[in-house]
Amino acid sequence: MKKVITGNYAVSYGAMVSRSQVIAAYPITPQTQIVELLSEFCADGLLDAKFIKVESEHSAMASCIGASATGARAFTATSAHGLALMHELLHWAALGRLPIVLANVNRAMGPGWSIWTDQNDSLSQRDTGWLQFYCESNQEILDTIIQGFKISEQILLPTMLVLDAFFLSHTSEPVDIPDIEVVDTYLPKYNATYRLSTENPYAFGGLTGPDHYFEIRYKMQETMDQAIEIARQADEEFERIFGRSHGLIERYYSDDAELILVVSGSIASTTRDVVDQLRSEGRNVGMLKVRMFRPFPRQEFRNAVRRAKKVAVIDRNICVGFGGIFYQEITSTMYGHRDDLPIFGFIAGLGGRDVTPNVIHEIVTHAETHDTPDTEIIWIGVKR
Amino acid sequence: MIEIRIHGRGGQGAVVASQVLAAALFQEGKCVQSFPTFGVERRGAPVAAFTRMDDREIRLRCEIYEPDHLMVLDPTLIEAIDVTTGLKENGWIVINSDKHFGEFHLPSKFRIATVDANAIAVKHNLGTRTAPIVNTAILGAFSRITELVSIEAIVAAVKEEVPLNPEENAAACREAYEKVRGQNITP
C-alpha cells in the first residue's frame, strides 16, 4: 500500500511490519512522532508489542538490552542528546551481541541549542560497534529497518539507521508500506541461540579477564567484516521480494566520471538532480552515496573510484580538530591504493543549513578548478 | 515541478493543508512532497508549509524559496510579513478573506483570489467562531482557481487525512470551491 507519509512515520511503519516485540523509547524533537505513532499502534492493537515508557534514553536502551537478551525483537528511536545519553549502553548492546535496531534522527548537538540536522550525533557513536546506515528517502528508511533486523539477527550486532532531521523526518512523500505477511517471509521470527530464561539459565555480561576480552573484540571485528557480505545478500533478497534495493555504496553515473562526489543522507537525493544537470552540460561528474558507514565497505569504495581523477567528499559534520568524518574515512580507505587521487573535503550544511543545488554546484566548481585541495577542510557557505 | 507555499498562523492547520494537498495530488498520479517550516511552531505565530508536485520523481530535498503559488490562511499576515517573497510571476495568491480580490493591493505580476473561508468553516462547525479551522476550505478554493488538482481528489484526501469531522471538512471544501472569486472566476 502506497501512502504519503513523513520519514518519522516511515520509521514507525517499518518497526511495525518488522513485528517489533518490545519498544522502549523516550520522546525527543524531531523524533517524537516516531514514538507517538508506535504507541498508538500498540494501543490500537495493530502491533503486538510491549511499549515501555521510560524516564530517559539511557533507560530506553537498557530496556532494549534486557528485552533483546530474552530473545525478543527490540526497537527504539532517538536523536542527538538522547543518543548521546545512551552512549554507555550502545557499547553494552554491541558487546553483548544483541540485535537491537535503533532509528536516529540526525540533529545537531547543542549548545547553541539546535533541533536541525547534522550528522555529529550519530558519527560520535561510530566506535560503539553498531552497524550504521545513512538513509536518503522515506522509502529507504522503512526498508532499512526491515533489513536492519534481518542483518543484525544473523550476525548478532545491533543496527543504527540514520535519517536527517526535517529534510526526511518531517517531509511527507509516497512510501510503499509492504504487507506484513510478505515481510514475514523475508524476516522470520527471531530465534536467539542464547537467551535469558528461567528454564535454561545463562549468565550474561560477567567479569571477563585479559584471557578472554581480547577475543571478544576480535570476534566483533571478524563479524563486522562478514557483515558487509551479509548486508549485500540481505539487500539482494529484499529486491527479489519487494522489487527495491538500496546498495551499500550506490554508484550514480560514477563509473566513467572524472569527478566523483561522495555524499550521504538526504544530500544524495539533491545531488542526483545536480549530476543530471551537469551531465547534460557535458561535465563529467558522478556520485557515490555511502549508505553503509559501519562496517565501511572499503573494497567496494576503492573499486568505485578506480577510474576517477578527483573525489569530493561532502560532510554535514565535523570532527573538530581534524575535519570531515566521511573525508577522514575515505582518505584512510584510499591510503596506499590511489596515492595519485586528489581527495577534497568539503564541510556544508551544519546545524541544518540548507544544502541546495547551488551549494552542490559551488562544490563541483571548486573541485573542477583546483588540481589538488589547498586545505584539508574546505568550508562552503560559512560566514567568516 | 510546481511548488506551493501555504502561509498561516500556528494552529490554523497549514501543515495539514500541505499534507492533504500532497495526498490529493498523489491520488491523481503526481509525484509529491510536503513539509512544514523546519523549526518550532507557536500557536498564533506566522508559520508556513510547503508542497511540491511533479510528473517525475522528486529528488530535490531542500527548502522552497521561489514558489509558484501561495495560499494565505490569515489575511492579517499580508500586513505582518511579505508573503510574496520569492513568488514567481503570474503566481496565484489564494487568500482567506471576506473582501473582494480587487481590494488587495499586491504587485500586479501576481494573480489574486479570495474566499471567505472563516465564514464557511464556522457554518460547518470547524473550530470556533473566534478560531475557525480554515485549512480544508482554502484547499477547495485552491482547486478551483489553479485547476492543478480536482475537487474530488481534495475531498477524498480530506476524508483520509483529517481525522476529525471528515464530512464537515469535505462540505467546507466543496462550498469554498463554489464561492471562491478571482480574476478568472467573477460572479
Side-chain angles (χ1 to χ4, degrees), chain A residues 4 116 136-137 166-168 170-174 252 269-270 273 276 354 357, chain B residues 19 22-23 26 32-36 38-40 56 59-63 65:
Chain A
V4 180
W116 293 274
E136 174 187 355
S137 69
F166 297 109
F167 293 106
L168 291 171
H170 283 64
T171 297
S172 299
E173 62 185 3
Y252 190 74
S269 188
T270 306
D273 272 2
D276 284 1
D354 207 1
Chain B
Q19 287 170 340
F26 178 63
V32 294
Q33 192 189 69
S34 76
F35 51 91
F38 296 159
V40 290
R56 44 165 280 188
R59 302 182 301 188
L60 203 57
R61 291 185 193 279
C62 58
E63 298 182 44
Y65 300 95

Side-chain angles (χ1 to χ4, degrees), chain A residues 102-153:
Chain A
L102 178 158
N104 179 66
V105 181
N106 261 157
R107 163 184 160 182
M109 298 299 294
W113 203 238
S114 170
I115 55 171
W116 293 274
T117 201
D118 185 304
Q119 297 172 323
N120 262 92
D121 59 348
S122 54
L123 290 170
S124 296
Q125 308 304 337
R126 185 188 65 174
D127 301 337
T128 54
W130 285 60
L131 281 74
Q132 283 198 359
F133 292 89
Y134 287 79
C135 297
E136 174 187 355
S137 69
N138 294 357
Q139 186 70 61
E140 190 177 325
I141 291 166
L142 188 150
D143 295 348
T144 303
I145 292 179
I146 303 169
Q147 291 190 6
F149 280 118
K150 175 92 173 177
I151 300 162
S152 280
E153 290 170 7

